[in-house]
Each structure stands twice: as structure tokens, then as C-alpha cells.
Amino acid sequence: MQHVPEDWQRGLVIVAHPDDIEYGAAAAVARWTGQGKDIRYVLVTSGEAGIAGLPPVESGPLREAEEIAAAQVVGVRKVEFLGYPDGRVRESLELRRDLAAAIRRHQPEMVVLFHFGDAWAPGYANSADHRAVGRAALDAISDAGNEWIFPELADHKPWAARWAAVVGPTATHAVDVTDTIDQAAASLAAHRRYLEVLSPEPIADQVRAVVDMATGPKDGFPAERAVGVELFYFGG
């Protein structure tokens, strides 16, 4: 398994919900910001339907605040929310356009996405939002570099990213995160209210289990802890 290229300076992580990044890629983000890279987050929803018993009007601002705090732990200062409805995101031309606009605004060389297949493993379905956002975002990378697909975005010049790294079960490349596990754990722990409702287990135990699962060793990759990705190549 090969190393993810690191000869780039600006990256953009696009996900559906607050906490998605912390469930998979925060350790890699911490490594990259530690190298001096400029990493930014775009979240399609505010996760307002994600806390049982807490109305969306209260949950949305809370989850945005937790995500901003989680981002700061791993060195990310720019976090953008697009305001799509949590749980009801559709893979649409509108979503592709808005993500293409975000890519043009932030001008990343590397775009990090999350698994958008139908299932995480046999018998474990992926969420509709994850599928819609990941597929639309992968298309939006090409859209962002084409001046004719969404001409209404003319205020921002076309931008061509070089790669997309899709975090998930199908890995072709990996990132050595052996030295950033503690930052990844602290970043996930910033989602305190969400985790408190999600499980009766102590937050520290939940965090440890998630980070251990997301950053286990990868076959053929020379690192004690790693984040695996499927790498896509573009023309940037």
C-alpha cells in the first residue's frame, strides 16, 4: 500500500455531518496541519437531526459549535456549513453546484471525502446523506475546473484539484498517523453532547474505540497507526 501524496499545501475536507471527520480523518488532518498545510472543512448539513430528544433548532447550533471546537483541536480554523437538511440530502445538480463553488472558493489541491458506497461492510448500510454527499462531491471536483458546467459560478475562477482521498473500507493508499492519535481523540471528544446521547458508555471509552478502529494498522503499510483512503487522480 502506498503513502498518500503530501507534496501539496491546501486541502479541503467535505462531509455530510458534524463528527464525520472525527470518526475517520481527524488524525490525518492533524498530521497535515502539523506539516504547515492549510486544511479547511465544508459540511453540507449542521447535523441538526442527529441528537435524539433535542429539537433541530437547538441541535444544529450546538453541533456546529462542537464541530468548530473539534476542528481547532487539529489545527483547522476555517469551517463552513452549507445548510442542507440533515437526513434529507439528495445527490442533485444543486448540491454539485454548491460543492463546486466551495472548491473554487477554497482552491484545494487535495480534497478529502468519506465513503459513499451503499454499505460499510456486508450487512451495514451507509447513510443516504453520506452516499449523496460523497458522490456529488467527487463529481464537483471535475465541475469546479470546468467553466461551462455551472456558468453561474463565474464570480469564482475554475479550479482543478489534483487528488481526492476517500476515507473508507476500500483503501489504495494510507497516511501515517502514529504521532497524531491523541489529537484525533481530543477532536472527537469535542462532540461531547452528541456522544453523551449516542451511548451510555463513558465518552473516553467511546472515543478510544472509534479512534482505534479508524486508525488501525494497514496491511502492507509501514506504520503502527494509519488512515486508509482510496485515491482518485484529477488534472490539477
Side-chain angles (χ1 to χ4, degrees), residues 4 24-28 167 171 173-177 214-216 218 221 225-229:
V4 170
V167 179
H173 293 67
V175 183
D176 183 347
V177 297
T215 63
K218 302 292 182 287
F221 188 73
R225 307 290 288 270
V227 170
V229 306

Side-chain angles (χ1 to χ4, degrees), residues 207-231:
V207 166
R208 187 178 306 109
V210 169
V211 172
D212 284 351
M213 179 178 63
T215 63
K218 302 292 182 287
D219 290 342
F221 188 73
E224 180 181 342
R225 307 290 288 270
V227 170
V229 306
E230 183 175 6
L231 195 67

Side-chain angles (χ1 to χ4, degrees), residues 91-165:
E91 184 185 354
S92 63
L93 285 175
E94 178 185 18
L95 179 58
R96 276 176 53 187
R97 181 201 63 209
D98 290 348
L99 292 175
I103 290 167
R104 289 188 182 187
R105 283 196 302 274
H106 296 289
Q107 299 186 338
E109 297 163 85
M110 173 69 76
V111 180
V112 178
L113 308 176
F114 275 68
H115 178 58
F116 46 80
D118 291 337
W120 285 97
Y124 294 89
N126 200 359
S127 83
D129 284 359
H130 292 162
R131 300 195 309 267
V133 170
R135 290 168 181 164
L138 192 66
D139 289 337
I141 296 171
S142 295
D143 297 338
N146 188 317
E147 63 187 302
W148 305 118
I149 294 177
F150 295 116
E152 63 269 35
L153 301 182
D155 288 346
H156 298 281
K157 293 182 180 180
W159 178 262
R162 298 168 67 186
W163 304 279

